[in-house]
Amino acid sequence: MSAIDHAISDKTLTLTNESIDLFKHMHGAYFDLFQPANQMELDIVCDIAAARWRLRRIWRYQTAMLDVEMDNQAPQFEKRYATYDEDMRGATAFSAIADSSKGYATALRTDIHLTRTYRRAVDDLRRRRGGNVLNENKISQNEPESQSLTPLNSTPDAKKISTEPEEPETVGQVPDLPNAEETKIPKAS
């Protein structure tokens, strides 16, 4: 049974100019990765896939808006500046769109909203699985094999590092002091 049969359909989220096959591939990849175990997890994985698909669309729209604005500005831009690079063209287009375009502002808000939706869905899945998002019970490579070991008790005690001057090794003994005759200070004349 494919994930698409039990979840959102490609017709729900893909526009007529978008690749249904690409959507199915991405959606299936999320199902293969997370392997939802029940209806709640199935819905959460659908939320993750839907948010990511729509977020990718918004990214394409933002890029297209900037490309169109750079093309519109090109004739005046070349007359205005003797030397320029693509970053200058992009920054000028971004500035013009950010200052005057409701569409670009909406795209930015949608980008933020979808990013939060995506992350919230991943966090929901993580909480449902007790922190283990990928449904794996094996210990990862860098974890200790014994569950009783922690970073605090698995390493030998290291020498204490201090910026303070060190005390003499023989604690309790008074160091030898120079005798008075050796430390005579010459009298000033």
Side-chain angles (χ1 to χ4, degrees), residues 170-181:
T170 53
V171 179
Q173 292 182 351
V174 178
D176 291 336
L177 297 175
N179 76 34
E181 292 177 6

Side-chain angles (χ1 to χ4, degrees), residues 3 27 133 163 166 187:
H27 196 257
V133 177
T163 57
E166 290 187 21
K187 292 183 182 179

Side-chain angles (χ1 to χ4, degrees), residues 12-46:
T12 306
L13 288 177
T14 57
L15 300 177
T16 56
N17 64 341
E18 293 177 325
S19 169
I20 291 173
D21 290 336
L22 186 59
F23 172 78
K24 286 179 180 180
H25 177 74
M26 184 202 74
H27 196 257
Y30 276 110
F31 275 82
D32 291 344
L33 177 66
F34 293 122
Q35 300 175 358
N38 54 46
Q39 185 61 47
M40 179 71 76
E41 288 187 0
L42 181 86
D43 291 342
I44 292 170
V45 174
C46 286

Side-chain angles (χ1 to χ4, degrees), residues 142-174:
N142 293 331
E143 292 181 16
E145 289 186 25
S146 169
Q147 295 298 323
S148 63
L149 287 179
T150 68
L152 297 177
N153 67 10
S154 62
T155 56
D157 292 336
K159 184 179 177 183
K160 190 173 183 177
I161 299 174
S162 173
T163 57
E164 298 295 318
E166 290 187 21
E167 294 292 323
E169 291 293 325
T170 53
V171 179
Q173 292 182 351
V174 178

Side-chain angles (χ1 to χ4, degrees), residues 63-107:
T63 301
M65 285 183 224
L66 289 169
D67 282 340
V68 167
E69 184 62 24
M70 283 191 295
D71 289 347
N72 288 342
Q73 290 180 359
Q76 297 86 12
F77 196 87
E78 292 169 3
K79 291 176 187 174
R80 194 171 176 192
Y81 299 101
T83 60
Y84 61 89
D85 61 16
E86 292 304 307
D87 288 339
M88 288 175 61
R89 284 184 36 155
T92 305
F94 180 82
S95 180
I97 288 177
D99 290 344
S100 65
S101 172
K102 287 183 182 181
Y104 198 77
T106 300

